[in-house]
Amino acid sequence: MEKNITLDSATIIELSCRLDNKYSHLKNLQVTWKRGNETIRHIDKTENSWSIQLKILDSSKLGSYSCILKGEEEISAIFYLQVPKIEGKEKPIVSYEGDSAVMICKSFGYTPIAWTWYKINGSEQIAINDSLLADKYVINSVSANVTHLKILKLAKEDDGVYWCEAAFELGRSKGSLKLKVLSLMVPLKPFLAIVAEVVILVTIVFLYEMYSKKKEKCAEDEKEFDQVEQLKSEESNGLENSSARNRKI
Amino acid sequence: MLSQRTGGLGGAASPGLTLRLCTLCFRVSQGTQGGRLPSSAMSPPANVGRAPGPPDGGWGWVVVVGAFISIGFAYAFPKGIAIFFKEIQDFFGTSYGEIAWVSSITLATTYGAGPISSILVNRYGSRPVVIFGGLLCGIGMVSAAFCTSILQLYICVGFITGFGLALNLQPSVIIIGKYFLKRRPIANGLAMAGSPVMLCTLAPLNQFLFDNFGWRGSFLILGAILLNCCVAGALFRPIRAAPASVKPQVTEEGKDALKKEVTEEAIEMSSPTNVPMENKMEEEGEKDCCEKINQYLDFSLFKHRGFLIYLIGNVLMFLGFFAPIVFLAPYAKHIGIDEYSAAFLLSILAIVDMIARPTTGIIANSKWVRPRIQYFFSFSIAFNGTCHLLCPLASGYTGLVVYSIFFGLAFGMVCAMLFETLMDLVGAARFTSAVGLVTIAECCTILLGPPIGGTLIDTFGDYKYMFIKCGAVMVLAGTFLFIMNYYNYRMLAKEEKERKAKEEDLKSVRTENEGRNNWNKETAQDGPELEPLREEQEGLKKEVNGTNEL
């Protein structure tokens, strides 16, 4: 059993483990609260619950706290105390050389004190200073919970991983974004391939139409020719007949 | 030719007659002075003055494939690019409302440019218009890939691509009417199935393109994909439009034309050929600007009873047609269903839609439904409305799945018959202008539907009022169409009866004239005896007709 608790500023918090009614028949229960290996002394016990009070003043007090019930079986529950999570982007942002890219980080529900952007080169992180490189990077916050990093005039070197870090009273939290910079040739290839396919298909359709029209015309001409031949042959027959009749008479 | 003529006489021709014919052709062939007589000049053509009817098959099925592609792009594309909106919104730093305008402008232009599309098709035919439309779509999307502001996106994606799609949609529907008559509902159902198929294909394709190329690269490649509409256009071989069939499509103007024809023939019989010529010249002089405009876009349709019924019913229906689709996924998320299952509901809808459209086409083509297709259409609209009214009662995911299935079915049924019923009312010849006028009228309600639904949801905080509104509007539209079409069918049957009676009268006058001209001497003696017989025959005929129509 686990639970996540998000804290952004100094506070006093009470964590309690409560035993369900179906287990209340268990006797000889020993409950311990631990943080890591360290046991916490002061436990407030009520009828079916054991709780502790914590004063969280800085990041050292954050972490995982667990309550362990030892009886016939061992049941434990863990609380994770942490700073708010920052949402970056899982899928890479795709942009092009010479274009600009906008990267956005959001913090849900909690307002950070400050935002910092880092570019990750290999294993080192470089802070992005927008006042120093004002024509390359623009950082602004639309609202306190959201930060924008706009990178202008993209080049191949700008490709890579970026971190947006939010500073809270109780610590820092990061979101990660990936930027992919492509050259203009990359989408151009499929584009030209499809245009070529369209041109070929249209040409095939028109050629087929011209071919079948020619065939029809040939067939018509042949039919006309046949009919005229028939007429001529019948005329000659008739001529013979009438002359034969005349002769006979 | 000659062989045909002897064939026409049949085997009962006496030898004396054949001798006469042979000497006749002998004289003719001698008279030509050795030159070959063109065969067509001598024989009468097989069908005098009648254009051949629509092929109902053959190349028509290839045209259906082309229309499938064209219609699919026209309907699916504006919905498909919604995937890019989040990224574009972040890039330009605009609100969601401003981005959503792109979709609205595209849809509005596709429907609003209908009359322009109709005018161009009336003037140039379907094929050049579709090819030009495809080129325009491609240019629009390629230029959208290089946009630097949201306004430029409005123009490139909204106006230019939207206009190109409009030039694709109308001609595709029109050319089906030119190629099919007996199997037209099936052809319409198959062609309209392009919309869900394209949507199902475009959605994952767009996602793939976006993941690999970003939104700019995707727009570039989508521009190339839209050029495939030119291929569809190349398949639209021009064909002479079928004459308006006699069945229930005799309009008032059609009746006048028929009367003119009959009276002209009567005049020809009894007098020399000068008079018909004079009539024709008078007609041409009368062609004023009204007729010229009507040649491009037939505004006289507004006097057509069936057209007006269709227009009012459809404009009402579209108020509640698209809103449920737009809000289905948000409604599912609202009642606690996760995002992927909510998206799956739309996939179910699309798959059922895909199957429902051709099936509806086949059903609508059967001999029981085809004469009463307007009733079938009104029923499917009312069915659609009932689905929406029952939706708030659906609880949980299973209920929504059942709703999606029925909604997909009803949606497919209505879409498959949307243009078929208009063709049925107006006829293939005037359909070109009709579809343009109808789409621009529908444009307003299509755009108003989802925002009104959205306002209802925001005001009451509950989705059920939106569903009730959509359901009520569609049930109302369905009932209106049902009643008005019942009235229309009765009026058409009455007009048909009157027309047939008039034809009989004129026919009897004509046969009497012929009889007098051919057997002058004989009828002078037989006249008083034959006439009472003839009158009796006519009387019998009229009675028979009367009982048939009852």
Side-chain angles (χ1 to χ4, degrees):
Chain A
M1 228 177 305
E2 297 178 2
K3 192 173 171 117
N4 285 331
I5 299 178
T6 313
L7 301 165
D8 70 324
S9 48
T11 180
I12 300 174
I13 189 170
E14 181 176 319
L15 302 171
S16 64
C17 277
R18 200 173 61 81
L19 199 58
D20 228 3
N21 284 329
K22 63 180 178 185
Y23 291 112
S24 52
H25 63 280
L26 293 172
K27 305 273 192 259
N28 296 334
L29 284 175
Q30 221 187 358
V31 176
T32 22
W33 276 94
K34 273 196 183 167
R35 179 171 179 245
N37 283 330
E38 196 188 304
T39 313
I40 301 166
R41 303 272 160 173
H42 197 98
I43 301 180
D44 301 320
K45 185 185 181 321
T46 56
E47 192 181 313
N48 258 343
S49 68
W50 294 259
S51 46
I52 51 170
Q53 266 204 359
L54 299 166
K55 245 192 227 173
I56 314 288
L57 293 170
D58 56 44
S59 55
S60 58
K61 289 284 194 290
L62 296 170
S64 58
Y65 291 81
S66 46
C67 78
I68 305 157
L69 277 79
K70 275 205 193 107
E72 287 158 11
E73 358 172 319
E74 192 173 296
I75 311 167
S76 65
I78 312 177
F79 293 89
Y80 291 105
L81 269 66
Q82 52 196 216
V83 282
K85 281 232 168 75
I86 303 295
E87 189 187 286
K89 230 184 187 169
E90 286 166 21
K91 289 201 186 141
I93 299 173
V94 178
S95 197
Y96 292 91
E97 289 169 5
D99 195 11
S100 51
V102 173
M103 296 200 270
I104 300 180
C105 269
K106 284 195 194 125
S107 154
F108 287 108
Y110 301 95
T111 312
I113 303 170
W115 289 95
T116 327
W117 283 91
Y118 294 97
K119 183 173 190 326
I120 310 301
N121 268 345
S123 55
E124 54 179 83
Q125 55 186 53
I126 307 167
I128 295 176
N129 194 336
D130 58 332
S131 44
L132 195 62
L133 298 158
D135 56 345
K136 178 82 176 165
Y137 297 106
V138 177
I139 301 178
N140 57 13
S141 292
V142 169
S143 66
N145 286 3
V146 180
T147 181
H148 285 212
L149 170 68
K150 188 165 184 175
I151 309 178
L152 307 162
K153 288 181 267 202
L154 285 169
K156 267 283 181 216
E157 300 85 48
D158 295 315
D159 193 308
V161 181
Y162 288 78
W163 283 354
C164 61
E165 196 181 67
F168 294 99
E169 209 181 306
L170 293 176
R172 293 163 175 258
S173 172
K174 307 200 279 286
S176 157
L177 299 112
K178 196 164 175 319
L179 180 68
K180 245 169 51 170
V181 180
L182 303 171
S183 84
L184 280 165
M185 292 296 127
V186 175
L188 206 61
K189 280 185 247 165
F191 174 78
L192 290 173
I194 299 177
V195 171
E197 167 247 327
V198 168
V199 169
I200 292 173
L201 282 177
V202 171
T203 322
I204 292 177
V205 170
F206 278 123
L207 285 176
Y208 177 71
E209 187 171 328
M210 279 180 6
Y211 166 72
S212 53
K213 269 208 186 124
K214 242 193 233 173
K215 236 169 67 168
E216 258 181 53
K217 201 162 167 269
C218 279
E220 269 184 34
D221 284 343
E222 270 183 37
K223 229 182 10 175
E224 268 190 39
F225 189 65
D226 279 343
Q227 286 180 353
V228 172
E229 290 286 301
Q230 222 175 6
L231 171 64
K232 278 197 183 151
S233 65
E234 284 190 13
E235 280 177 19
S236 54
N237 278 342
L239 188 64
E240 284 172 16
N241 277 344
S242 57
S243 57
R245 282 207 186 111
N246 286 336
R247 246 184 262 134
K248 275 180 187 164
I249 291 170
Chain B
M1 257 256 27
L2 173 67
S3 46
Q4 284 180 13
R5 237 188 239 157
T6 46
L9 284 176
S14 54
L17 202 55
T18 35
L19 176 63
R20 231 182 288 158
L21 278 171
C22 290
T23 46
L24 178 69
C25 60
F26 167 65
R27 255 182 254 141
V28 168
S29 62
Q30 277 196 328
T32 52
Q33 309 257 324
R36 202 185 84 183
L37 198 69
S39 48
S40 48
M42 278 197 66
S43 69
N47 302 323
V48 186
R50 253 188 59 183
D56 265 314
W59 189 254
W61 296 117
V62 182
V63 169
V64 168
V65 170
F68 181 92
I69 297 172
S70 231
I71 293 177
F73 275 126
Y75 280 119
F77 190 75
K79 295 181 206 159
I81 55 172
I83 293 180
F84 300 112
F85 284 171
K86 180 85 178 47
E87 180 72 13
I88 298 176
Q89 182 190 340
D90 290 340
F91 186 83
F92 287 119
T94 59
S95 68
Y96 182 73
E98 289 180 330
I99 287 287
W101 268 103
V102 173
S103 230
S104 304
I105 294 179
T106 315
L107 206 59
T109 321
T110 308
Y111 272 84
I116 303 177
S117 200
S118 294
I119 295 174
L120 289 174
V121 172
N122 267 331
R123 183 82 174 74
Y124 298 109
S126 284
R127 176 187 263 176
V129 179
V130 177
I131 293 183
F132 179 62
L135 283 173
L136 212 58
C137 287
I139 293 173
M141 288 312 285
V142 167
S143 48
F146 297 104
C147 278
T148 51
S149 81
I150 192 91
L151 190 64
Q152 291 175 6
L153 263 186
Y154 288 159
I155 297 175
C156 294
V157 180
F159 286 116
I160 300 182
T161 311
F163 187 57
L165 290 176
L167 293 180
N168 264 312
L169 176 63
Q170 259 80 332
S172 313
V173 180
I174 290 168
I175 202 162
I176 291 181
K178 290 193 181 154
Y179 265 89
F180 287 90
L181 183 60
K182 281 190 285 219
R183 301 218 192 106
R184 201 174 55 200
I186 298 181
N188 262 315
L190 280 172
M192 296 297 279
S195 170
V197 168
M198 276 296 172
L199 191 60
C200 281
T201 325
L202 270 183
L205 178 70
N206 278 356
Q207 190 64 48
F208 169 78
L209 284 176
F210 177 61
D211 290 339
N212 285 307
F213 297 105
W215 68 271
R216 284 196 199 267
S218 303
F219 278 3
L220 190 69
I221 297 177
L222 278 175
I225 293 178
L226 279 177
L227 281 179
N228 278 303
C229 292
C230 294
V231 178
L235 293 171
F236 290 166
R237 252 188 231 174
I239 186 173
R240 291 250 312 277
S245 73
V246 181
K247 233 205 326 149
Q249 290 156 11
V250 178
T251 64
E252 285 137 28
E253 288 204 6
K255 262 193 332 189
D256 287 339
L258 201 63
K259 265 191 231 158
K260 243 191 244 173
E261 243 183 76
V262 172
T263 44
E264 274 180 20
E265 283 182 49
I267 294 172
E268 269 181 44
M269 287 292 166
S270 52
S271 61
T273 48
N274 286 334
V275 179
M277 289 289 288
E278 279 179 32
N279 269 347
K280 253 195 191 163
M281 272 157 54
E282 268 180 43
E283 275 178 33
E284 282 182 29
E286 269 172 23
K287 251 191 187 170
D288 55 358
C289 70
C290 270
E291 292 229 8
K292 264 210 182 130
I293 294 179
N294 275 354
Q295 196 184 29
Y296 288 115
L297 193 66
D298 198 357
F299 281 105
S300 67
L301 278 166
F302 283 110
K303 290 190 253 168
H304 189 285
R305 193 176 47 241
F307 176 75
L308 285 174
I309 294 173
Y310 180 88
L311 189 65
I312 298 174
N314 273 43
V315 162
L316 197 60
M317 172 189 76
F318 272 111
L319 261 180
F321 196 52
F322 284 117
I325 304 180
V326 172
F327 291 111
L328 182 61
Y331 175 59
K333 281 187 234 168
H334 177 80
I335 62 176
I337 299 175
D338 65 282
E339 203 171 309
Y340 290 106
S341 309
F344 188 58
L345 284 175
L346 285 172
S347 310
I348 296 176
L349 211 157
I351 294 174
V352 175
D353 189 9
M354 224 187 288
I355 304 172
R357 290 194 196 201
T359 319
T360 313
I362 296 175
I363 295 176
N365 203 37
S366 65
K367 64 175 191 281
W368 301 285
V369 180
R370 183 103 193 253
R372 295 179 262 280
I373 198 172
Q374 304 293 336
Y375 294 142
F376 191 40
F377 185 53
S378 341
F379 162 72
S380 40
I381 297 179
F383 175 49
N384 208 343
T386 328
C387 281
H388 297 322
L389 286 174
L390 295 176
C391 178
L393 302 173
S395 54
Y397 190 58
T398 338
L400 277 186
V401 168
V402 171
Y403 167 72
S404 299
I405 293 176
F406 278 106
F407 183 22
L409 183 68
F411 191 74
M413 279 167 76
V414 174
C415 282
M417 286 195 287
L418 203 59
F419 293 114
E420 171 58 34
T421 40
L422 185 58
M423 274 187 220
D424 184 64
L425 283 167
V426 165
R430 301 170 85 185
F431 178 70
T432 316
S433 313
V435 73
L437 295 170
V438 158
T439 46
I440 197 173
E442 290 168 354
C443 174
C444 313
T445 47
I446 289 179
L447 284 178
L448 284 175
I452 293 182
T455 330
L456 277 172
I457 295 174
D458 288 337
T459 332
F460 293 104
D462 195 352
Y463 281 81
K464 74 172 182 206
Y465 293 105
M466 188 268 305
F467 283 112
I468 292 176
K469 159 238 168 193
C470 294
V473 161
M474 292 192 75
V475 168
L476 187 68
T479 328
F480 170 80
L481 280 173
F482 194 87
I483 297 175
M484 294 308 288
N485 275 310
Y486 173 69
Y487 164 71
N488 190 35
Y489 273 141
R490 274 185 49 189
M491 295 296 288
L492 284 173
K494 225 201 292 180
E495 282 166 10
E496 179 81 6
K497 215 181 353 172
E498 286 169 13
R499 189 183 68 82
K500 271 205 177 130
K502 282 204 178 118
E503 249 191 49
E504 289 294 331
D505 284 341
L506 285 163
K507 240 193 222 172
S508 61
V509 166
R510 216 195 306 162
T511 46
E512 280 183 28
N513 282 343
E514 274 185 30
R516 278 194 217 110
N517 288 342
N518 286 340
W519 300 336
N520 278 328
K521 290 180 190 167
E522 293 151 11
T523 43
Q525 293 168 7
D526 288 339
E529 289 176 38
L530 274 178
E531 281 187 21
L533 260 178
R534 254 188 245 127
E535 278 179 13
E536 266 186 54
Q537 275 183 6
E538 282 172 23
L540 271 174
K541 265 197 216 163
K542 278 204 182 128
E543 273 184 44
V544 168
N545 280 341
T547 47
N548 273 348
E549 261 146 4
L550 275 176

